[in-house]
Amino acid sequence: MAAAAPASSVKEVLPFPLTAASEPPPLFDGTTRLYVAYHCPYAQRAWIARNYKGLHDKIKIVAIDLADRPAWYKEKVYPENKVPSLEHNNQVKGESLDLVKYIDSNFEGPSLLPDDPAKKQFAEELLAFTDAFNKALYSSIISKEDVSEETVAALDKIEEALGKFNDGPFFLGQFSLVDIAYVPFIERFQIFFENIKNYDITKGRPNLQKFIE
């Protein structure tokens, strides 16, 4: 039976996004905080990692309204003024892929990387491809032309990558940080391409179809 990601049983009440009029939380008081924007795919990477590892009680979610973000967030929390960021041990770290790795390495819960060296190496290759993949697909969305050869090639590369290991429907067989890196974008691309380009990204790509399911 194919390995699947466990479903979280935690029912979490999510906080309202903080705006320019909102006071900051009691910063650097020992609480670990993950700053996100609910609609942001980059923030969702770190958020998924936190949830998958069952860290609801260890990492508090703080939502930021990116359209009306508080000045104190840039001044006192994260000078880059974007999400996600993680306040932990009196330090603030950013960049979504780095945060997924950091959460995996520094907190308890199921590992987001397998022990197999070949799978670890492939994971790094796929993580390095994420920006190029997103760029290739965004380029067709904003273009008035048909879906480009670059976009098709990027999707075919993902299809091939999903078929490398046969012990599950995920990139490394088992659910991992690679799936977390891609899924917030792939689920959006599927909708965008269907509605904007009348193009089914899963057609002729059975591995991608299984991954999305």
Side-chain angles (χ1 to χ4, degrees):
M1 184 175 178
S8 172
S9 60
V10 176
K11 299 295 184 182
E12 186 173 18
V13 178
L14 296 173
F16 285 106
L18 301 181
T19 68
S22 304
E23 293 295 320
L27 303 172
F28 305 110
D29 63 347
T31 302
T32 300
R33 298 180 176 90
L34 178 62
Y35 295 87
V36 303
Y38 292 137
H39 63 276
C40 173
Y42 294 97
Q44 285 169 0
R45 285 171 166 172
W47 189 8
I48 293 169
R50 173 254 199 189
N51 290 358
Y52 180 78
K53 291 177 74 71
L55 298 170
H56 303 73
D57 295 331
K58 301 289 179 66
I59 302 178
K60 182 179 179 180
I61 292 292
V62 179
I64 299 293
D65 184 343
L66 295 182
D68 187 28
R69 67 191 79 188
W72 54 258
Y73 181 65
K74 179 179 181 179
E75 295 167 357
K76 299 180 179 180
V77 180
Y78 192 42
E80 298 290 335
N81 202 26
K82 58 185 181 179
V83 292
S85 69
L86 183 72
E87 177 189 338
H88 182 233
N89 288 342
N90 292 319
Q91 294 182 325
V92 176
K93 301 179 183 297
E95 298 303 325
S96 61
L97 294 181
D98 292 341
L99 285 187
V100 170
K101 292 181 179 180
Y102 183 86
I103 290 170
D104 191 35
S105 300
N106 290 274
F107 294 88
E108 61 189 23
S111 175
L112 289 171
L113 265 182
D115 294 328
D116 186 336
K119 290 187 175 183
K120 286 184 176 180
Q121 180 179 346
F122 193 52
E124 290 302 324
E125 294 174 12
L126 289 170
L127 292 176
F129 180 62
T130 57
D131 286 346
F133 172 76
N134 291 338
K135 182 180 179 182
L137 271 76
Y138 274 127
S139 66
S140 279
I141 290 176
I142 63 176
S143 171
K144 295 181 180 180
E145 306 297 326
D146 291 336
V147 176
S148 69
E149 293 182 3
E150 180 187 16
T151 295
V152 172
L155 287 166
D156 287 345
K157 183 179 176 75
I158 292 299
E159 173 68 14
E160 181 181 359
L162 284 164
K164 185 174 177 66
F165 300 105
N166 60 8
D167 53 344
F170 303 108
F171 280 102
L172 306 182
Q174 68 198 73
F175 185 76
S176 74
L177 54 78
V178 180
D179 304 291
I180 292 174
Y182 279 93
V183 72
F185 296 90
I186 286 178
E187 69 170 1
R188 284 166 169 78
F189 289 139
Q190 183 183 29
I191 296 169
F192 290 160
F193 275 86
E194 183 75 29
N195 289 280
I196 297 173
K197 297 294 184 180
N198 194 28
Y199 179 83
D200 180 2
I201 67 171
T202 67
K203 186 176 182 179
R205 300 185 181 99
N207 294 328
L208 182 57
Q209 178 67 46
K210 290 177 184 177
F211 171 79
I212 291 173
E213 289 174 357

